[in-house]
Amino acid sequence: MPTLDALATPCLLVDDGRLQRNITQMQAKAADHGVQLRPHTKTHKSIVIARRQVNRGAAGITVAKIGEAERFVEAGFDDVRIAYPVVGTDKYERVLALSDHARCSFCIDTSAGAEAASAFF
């Protein structure tokens, strides 16, 4: 195994014990407050880490964009929320296609956006 000094940079290193403790503690905090946890993948963008979060009890995951949702649904995630507003027929069609394989929801930030999404769906 290489030493830290021998690793090529940039390089991602994860303290697995700390990661697992953080996942466990966050899930426990949500449970203690009677809420479901839906962690955002923006920091790790990792199927492996997201799977750990769901296996520990997360209700689903949150992603930033439709492309990320597509990637996670392809990897088998069945409950995905898209955090950024989804606007436009082409994007609605992509969300609709995802809904054949997963529960997929998205955020809306204007009444016009709500009306457009409602008209499509």
Side-chain angles (χ1 to χ4, degrees):
M1 178 188 254
T3 65
L4 286 178
D5 292 333
L7 293 173
T9 58
C11 179
L12 172 67
L13 299 175
V14 176
D15 181 330
D16 193 61
R18 182 174 289 178
L19 171 65
Q20 196 58 42
R21 282 191 304 278
N22 287 347
I23 291 170
T24 299
Q25 288 172 357
M26 198 64 205
Q27 189 61 49
K29 185 174 236 174
D32 289 347
H33 288 87
V35 297
Q36 291 185 325
L37 182 63
R38 180 180 295 280
H40 201 306
T41 62
K42 65 184 172 186
T43 301
H44 58 72
K45 296 189 186 227
S46 166
I47 289 168
V48 172
I49 294 173
R51 208 168 263 135
R52 284 186 181 191
Q53 292 171 308
V54 170
N55 288 343
R56 185 49 103 177
I61 60 167
T62 301
V63 299
K65 303 180 292 183
I66 295 173
E68 293 170 4
E70 290 166 337
R71 181 169 180 254
F72 279 93
V73 169
E74 286 173 12
F77 288 83
D78 62 2
D79 194 331
V80 178
R81 172 154 307 134
I82 302 166
Y84 291 102
V86 174
V87 179
T89 301
D90 60 325
K91 291 183 180 170
Y92 296 150
E93 288 172 350
R94 290 169 67 189
V95 171
L96 186 60
L98 286 174
S99 70
D100 289 339
H101 308 284
R103 180 175 182 268
C104 191
S105 58
F106 59 92
C107 297
I108 297 171
D109 63 352
T110 65
S111 58
E115 290 170 6
S118 180
F120 180 87
F121 289 100

